[in-house]
Amino acid sequence: MPVVGIIGGSGLDDPDILNNATSVKMDTPYGKPSSTLTRGRIKGTETIILARHGKKHQYSPTQINNRANIHALKEMGATHILATSACGSLRDEIDRGHFVIVDQFIDFTRFRKNTFSDSFEKGATHTSMSDPFDAELRSTLYDTSVALGYPTHKSGTVVTIEGPRFSTRAESHMFRAWGADIINMSIAPEAMLANEAGIPYAAVAMSTDYDCWKEDEAPVSWEEILSVFHQNADSVKKLLGSALPKIR
């Protein structure tokens, strides 16, 4: 039976939807995860929820211990990982509130620990990353989202930047020229580590803004991101809750 780890988790540890919930404190060879992990069942599927930025959103993107997060989920038996994330849109057709089922990433981070192989003393490790997001999980997320009536894009390339600052206009235009469709500060390192750990990983990104490339719009602000995300948080919960029983 699948055990699904969810990273992001906004509202998903609500006792009304997570049954028989228990909190688990973990330590790993890479340090402590971002938060205690909440384990329970959502519609019969064993689920482990981890708050990426901490329970109080106290960790900046650079501070997130992605290695500890992925390692902890693996130690707790996660067979699949689903991630949620807010993102900025780099394309006209990806409007605020739209979901993007990511299929590729561009890593533009600089200071993240994005491998478990700090050394090659026990042999070289080079993980294939040509298709970093699991096709079956992506298909499940997309089909479920469309069935629920949500505006959803079947694929998209995310560029993950270091943060916590937002892009300059020049950077935003560069990312568009590179072929990126959306931008955020979290997905790429998680995807890399999940692949290295051998855990199928997929991400649903919610567009909250147009970054700063769109000059007929005001540049992105943190307040705008929070506003759009909170307006659509229930849709994210419903999407994941409906997709979980379909995972095999």
Side-chain angles (χ1 to χ4, degrees):
M1 295 295 290
V3 179
V4 182
I6 296 178
I7 302 177
S10 296
L12 280 165
D13 49 2
D14 184 328
D16 290 337
I17 57 173
L18 190 67
N19 297 319
N20 302 318
T22 57
S23 292
V24 181
K25 289 185 177 180
M26 293 282 290
D27 205 348
T28 79
Y30 308 98
K32 293 186 181 298
S34 295
S35 70
T36 56
L37 292 89
T38 307
R39 186 168 200 149
R41 289 185 176 271
I42 296 177
K43 295 187 177 178
T45 301
E46 191 166 357
T47 306
I48 307 165
I49 295 172
L50 191 155
R52 180 188 288 118
H53 290 276
K55 296 285 189 180
K56 299 180 180 178
H57 207 100
Q58 69 267 37
Y59 297 118
S60 76
T62 302
Q63 288 180 303
I64 295 168
N65 192 339
N66 291 294
R67 295 197 299 181
N69 289 349
I70 298 298
H71 189 275
L73 288 172
K74 185 170 185 175
E75 284 291 296
M76 288 185 67
T79 58
H80 305 75
I81 295 175
L82 299 179
T84 66
S85 176
C87 69
S89 170
L90 298 172
R91 304 292 165 193
D92 278 305
E93 62 271 21
I94 302 175
D95 204 348
R96 291 176 178 83
H98 284 201
F99 292 148
V100 180
I101 311 303
V102 185
D103 70 324
Q104 289 289 317
F105 69 71
I106 298 169
D107 180 27
F108 204 66
T109 63
R110 295 174 173 84
F111 307 116
R112 315 292 176 92
K113 291 283 191 178
N114 58 19
T115 179
F116 294 110
S117 300
D118 285 330
S119 125
F120 282 179
E121 283 185 30
K122 297 181 180 179
T125 301
H126 299 285
T127 305
S128 174
M129 210 64 61
S130 55
D131 295 294
F133 300 92
D134 184 76
E136 287 189 24
L137 288 177
R138 288 183 55 247
S139 179
T140 297
L141 287 171
Y142 177 74
D143 291 345
T144 302
S145 189
V146 170
L148 289 169
Y150 301 144
T152 309
H153 301 265
K154 193 172 188 177
S155 61
T157 296
V158 60
V159 57
T160 299
I161 63 173
E162 188 61 50
R165 70 168 178 87
F166 295 125
S167 307
T168 66
R169 289 196 195 277
E171 289 169 332
S172 197
H173 285 297
M174 177 182 71
F175 297 143
R176 280 168 46 81
W178 282 0
D181 302 298
I182 56 175
I183 181 170
N184 88 336
M185 300 178 189
S186 60
I187 290 179
E190 284 181 1
M192 285 185 254
L193 289 160
N195 275 269
E196 199 172 287
I199 306 174
Y201 175 97
V204 53
M206 182 208 299
S207 172
T208 57
D209 58 87
Y210 278 104
D211 201 37
C212 63
W213 64 273
K214 212 168 185 289
E215 299 197 13
D216 60 343
E217 298 235 2
V220 57
S221 69
W222 179 236
E223 291 73 23
E224 177 185 20
I225 290 173
L226 287 178
S227 174
V228 176
F229 190 85
H230 287 151
Q231 289 171 29
N232 292 275
D234 285 343
S235 297
V236 176
K237 287 190 284 185
K238 191 170 182 181
L239 167 56
L240 292 182
S242 299
L244 282 171
K246 303 174 185 177
I247 295 173
R248 297 290 181 265

